[in-house]
Amino acid sequence: MVAGAADLMSRRGINATTMREVVRHTGTPRGSIGYYFPDGKQQLLEEAIEFAGAQVSGPLQHLVAKNGAVGGLRAFVDLWRQTLEKSDFTAGCPILAVAVEPLVNEEKETNSARNDIAERHLLDLAHGVLADWQRILSVALRAEGVSPAKARRLATLVIASVEGTVAMCRAARNAKPLDDVFIELELLLKNATTSG
């Protein structure tokens, strides 16, 4: 159900990822979702954000440790290419969906203060995931002799560039923007790691 929620978020955003849609999308019994997520949609979205983040963080951590920063960049781009192509360019990044889509209160009686708190919490979780991806790349760059400040800036540039390019690929319905961005980012990282 968590993986299904993350998939729906990547395709439709956070507001269209309802408990009912997750049940339909995953084929799970309706009672299961209430049992496993007693705090409702908010809990499901939180767990989906953590799941989606780990789906990238784990492999990225392993690949930068094995292949260095440029190899990690290549793996990061390949992961998004696979996601885009496998979904026929209908799925993007669920973390980006959280960052750009305001949470709409589904309750009949709107409690805007509670909704604001819920939305901020989701944004905090998304920020944590993006910061983790940046940290992984930054550590790899520092291990290759890049200064801490420059490594942090480059990692931020990589994550922002790839995340934005995923959205561009969805709109274009092809991976050409990802290819173009990868070429330029690879040159930047290679230059930074050879010059220190």
Side-chain angles (χ1 to χ4, degrees):
M1 288 180 278
V2 172
D7 183 52
L8 279 173
M9 288 165 57
S10 76
R11 295 168 190 272
R12 299 183 188 167
I14 60 174
N15 291 306
T17 302
T18 63
M19 302 285 269
R20 176 175 287 147
E21 284 301 312
V22 171
V23 166
R24 186 177 301 142
H25 186 64
T26 61
T28 56
R30 187 174 169 93
S32 296
I33 202 158
Y35 177 79
Y36 288 107
F37 303 98
D39 294 330
K41 180 178 175 175
Q42 180 73 19
Q43 180 185 3
L44 179 61
L45 291 176
E46 291 168 4
E47 291 189 28
I49 291 167
E50 292 170 359
F51 172 83
Q55 292 298 110
V56 174
S57 295
L60 183 59
Q61 180 76 52
H62 171 74
L63 289 164
V64 296
K66 182 179 176 184
N67 302 316
V70 173
L73 167 66
R74 186 172 292 112
F76 189 60
V77 168
D78 285 346
L79 181 139
W80 289 119
R81 178 187 311 285
Q82 290 169 21
T83 298
L84 289 161
E85 290 175 350
K86 183 178 173 185
S87 72
D88 197 27
F89 297 91
T90 61
C93 178
I95 307 306
L96 183 61
V98 173
V100 300
E101 183 182 355
L103 182 64
V104 174
N105 190 336
E106 294 176 354
E107 296 177 12
K108 290 185 170 93
E109 292 183 24
T110 303
N111 182 332
S112 105
R114 186 170 59 193
N115 192 64
D116 289 347
I117 291 168
E119 183 176 9
R120 278 195 301 270
H121 184 63
L122 294 178
L123 286 169
D124 288 345
L125 289 172
H127 173 70
V129 168
L130 295 169
D132 189 45
W133 297 348
Q134 289 170 274
R135 178 196 57 77
I136 291 167
L137 286 172
S138 180
V139 167
L141 288 162
R142 287 195 326 258
E144 295 181 44
V146 178
S147 73
K150 185 169 185 174
R152 180 187 50 76
R153 290 191 307 267
L154 284 170
T156 300
L157 178 64
V158 166
I159 300 303
S161 297
V162 173
E163 288 293 296
T165 304
V166 167
M168 291 175 70
C169 289
R170 282 191 71 191
R173 289 175 297 289
N174 68 63
K176 179 83 169 96
L178 199 56
D179 296 335
D180 292 343
V181 167
F182 172 71
I183 290 168
E184 295 304 321
L185 290 175
E186 183 181 41
L187 287 172
L188 278 171
L189 294 191
K190 281 182 177 178
N191 184 48
T193 56
T194 56
S195 64

